[in-house]
Amino acid sequence: MRRGQPLARRTRLTARKGLTRRTELTTTTELARVTPLRPMSARRRAENRERREIAHATFGDAPLCAIPGCGRLADDVHEPLTRARGGSITDPSNMVPLCRDCHDVVQRGPQWAYDLGLMVHSWDGGDAA
Ligand SMILES: [Zn+2]
């Protein structure tokens, strides 16, 4: 296409009838869910309950953070082999009590966490371990 002048209108603009709606508007209440979304499945809720009981039975009421030299009370239960890597959250051998600060650092996956066994690669864990 050759560039040149802008396209020129060849016919005059004429006033016509406006657009008309062909379907009725519907209220959104007819489309709304009757039951609210569940924040967590019943299966996951049961698994978390089981995990809390196992962690309490394994570590007691006031476990200390497992990081050498930390000494604070643990806030979280950490899974060295994460669920995303095929780990179980209800396996006591895959639970380590950590304080929140240490857990935040360990979750970033520094090499020392792998060296201490606090993080496990998927190819190092699972059934083969
Ligand atoms: Zn700690």
Side-chain angles (χ1 to χ4, degrees), residues 59 62-80 94-103 106 112-113 116-119:
F59 303 118
L64 294 178
C65 178
I67 299 291
C70 177
R72 283 179 280 198
L73 286 173
D75 301 305
D76 303 326
V77 176
H78 169 71
E79 301 92 36
N94 194 35
M95 293 179 171
V96 177
L98 294 180
C99 72
R100 181 63 46 85
D101 291 341
C102 292
H103 200 185
V106 166
W112 60 262
L116 286 173
L118 294 170
M119 291 292 285

